[in-house]
């Protein structure tokens, strides 16, 4: 069954010129891009998005890092997309992320770890609603689906 998940390319991805590399990985895997925009995040939205970390000592650094430059917000769609994208991202602490994952290939940091990915289908739905309005989604036929999936997967 098709799922949608949120990916945020963090300020470090933009500044280091990795936006194309990271997006290309999801494209090549076969995920469908259905929404994309570039924004500057605010304290208000970061307080909500990272509410589970608000009592951690690094919270102010995390927020400053996420406000240091614009971010790229994208929504990727595919069969079990939440789990697939999260596994492609790799471990939160990039020094422990397996080579071949995005964090394992492009980062040395537990904080400056290139991307955010939703961690469950439930949170993906909440996070997508946090950053996108219905008009942001572009409907189009993914013409290669029969070459990417069996009939029971889509
Ligand atoms: N983070 C950090 N230090 C930590 C844990 C997390 O700086 O010890 C930052 C890091 O940028 C991470 C974000 O907080 O991506 C959100 O943390 P979470 O535990 O949700 O990890 P994620 O879902 O991003 O892998
Ligand atoms: Mg998380």
């Amino acid at each position: 069954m098709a799922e949608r998940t949120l990916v945020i390319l963090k300020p470090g991805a933009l500044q280091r010129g990795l936006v194309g590399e990271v997006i290309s990985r999801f494209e090549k895997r076969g995920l469908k891009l259905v929404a994309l925009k570039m924004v500057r995040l605010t304290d208000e939205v970061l307080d909500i998005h990272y509410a589970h970390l608000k009592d951690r000592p690094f919270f102010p650094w995390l927020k400053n890092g996420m406000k240091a430059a614009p971010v790229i917000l994208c929504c990727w769609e595919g069969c079990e997309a939440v789990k697939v994208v999260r596994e492609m991202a790799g471990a939160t602490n990039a020094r422990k992320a397996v080579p071949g994952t995005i964090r394992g290939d492009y980062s040395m940091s537990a904080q400056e770890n290139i991307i955010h990915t939703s961690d469950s289908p439930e949170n993906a739905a909440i996070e997508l609603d946090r950053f996108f309005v219905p008009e942001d989604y572009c409907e189009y036929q993914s013409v290669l689906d029969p070459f990417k999936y069996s009939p029971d997967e889509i």
Side-chain angles (χ1 to χ4, degrees), residues 12-24:
L14 181 66
Q15 292 288 4
R16 292 177 54 199
L18 295 172
V19 172
E21 292 274 345
V22 173
I23 287 179
S24 182

Side-chain angles (χ1 to χ4, degrees), residues 10 50 52-53 56 58 61-62 66 86 90-93 103 109-113 115-119:
K10 296 185 177 186
Y50 285 134
H52 60 296
L53 300 169
R56 303 293 292 273
F58 59 79
W61 299 344
L62 169 61
M66 293 298 288
R86 193 140 175 101
T92 303
N93 180 346
R103 288 166 172 170
S109 172
Q111 177 182 297
E112 295 301 318
N113 56 6
I115 57 169
H116 165 84
T117 63
S118 304
D119 63 8

